Amino acid sequence: MSGFIWQVFAEPLTQQAFQKALIGGSLVAIVSGVIGCFVILRRMAFLGDALAHSMLAGVTAGYLFMQIIFGVEAHAPAMMIGSILAGFITVGLISFVSRVSRIKEDTAIGIMYTGIFAIGGVLASLFSHRIHLDLYHFITGMVLGVEDADLWMMAFITAIVLSVIILLYRHFLIATFDPVMAASIGIPVVALDYLLTTCTSLVVVGAVGIVGVILVVGLLVTPAATAYLLSDRLHRMMILSAIFGVTGVLGGLYLSLWIGNIATGPSIV
């Protein structure tokens, strides 16, 4: 019996790939769970999906820029900057269209994120002879193939985002539940909205390289939505959301190993 338990549960923990996957997935789950609480409370779930999908255009543009101008392929910083810029362009276009037209924000999000995602697909097709990206793993992730550089980047993003939320927790709390009162007492609500969007973009950019587009949206929304049903305080909701995310990652990793024929990202979802 002890041998069976060791083989099924303990032995995977001795494998380097599993260890890296667990660390990387847990970092993503924790920061996504925390920022996801604001995504849920502010009804921004669809926006998180838009940011994740708009990354394809940013990654492709960053790759092309470095490949054509400098002759360098797969330059991670350039692709990250391109992803962040694509996220900001998406958010800016959504805000612009929803303000100057009769189209509501959720409709604008649907139009913009599919359009920008399609632009990324067009660029990847037109310049397929120059771009060498694994689009399948961009969608489903490479949790078991995470590299050290991805882990360090995700750790850095996690530290930054959590620090911002901890330092400005009370401001975010008031602006989320009563933005009118927050503005009346001098809290810069609009600036906080942009800061939160920036943090969400950073999380999405860092996480997509590890867990893929599908999983990053799942980790942003599902643990936080579950925690929302089980708590009536924001700090408790954040803690529960992070716990649900990490246990989901752990369970999905084991499930992927036990079944053996399914991708890790979808099994975590």
Side-chain angles (χ1 to χ4, degrees), residues 245-258:
V246 172
T247 54
V249 168
L250 183 62
L253 286 172
Y254 275 118
L255 187 65
S256 177
L257 285 178
W258 293 339

Side-chain angles (χ1 to χ4, degrees), residues 17-41:
F18 192 93
Q19 293 170 356
K20 287 183 177 181
L22 183 58
I23 294 170
S26 295
L27 286 172
V28 173
I30 290 169
V31 72
S32 297
V34 171
I35 202 78
C37 293
F38 291 108
V39 169
I40 291 296
L41 292 171

Side-chain angles (χ1 to χ4, degrees), residues 135-143 210-215 263-266:
L135 295 181
Y136 173 77
H137 286 113
F138 177 81
I139 301 296
T140 62
M142 293 181 62
V143 184
I210 298 175
V211 298
V213 171
I214 297 172
L215 181 53
T264 310

Side-chain angles (χ1 to χ4, degrees), residues 223-234:
T226 308
Y228 176 74
L229 298 174
L230 300 173
S231 56
D232 56 1
R233 295 288 185 274
L234 180 57

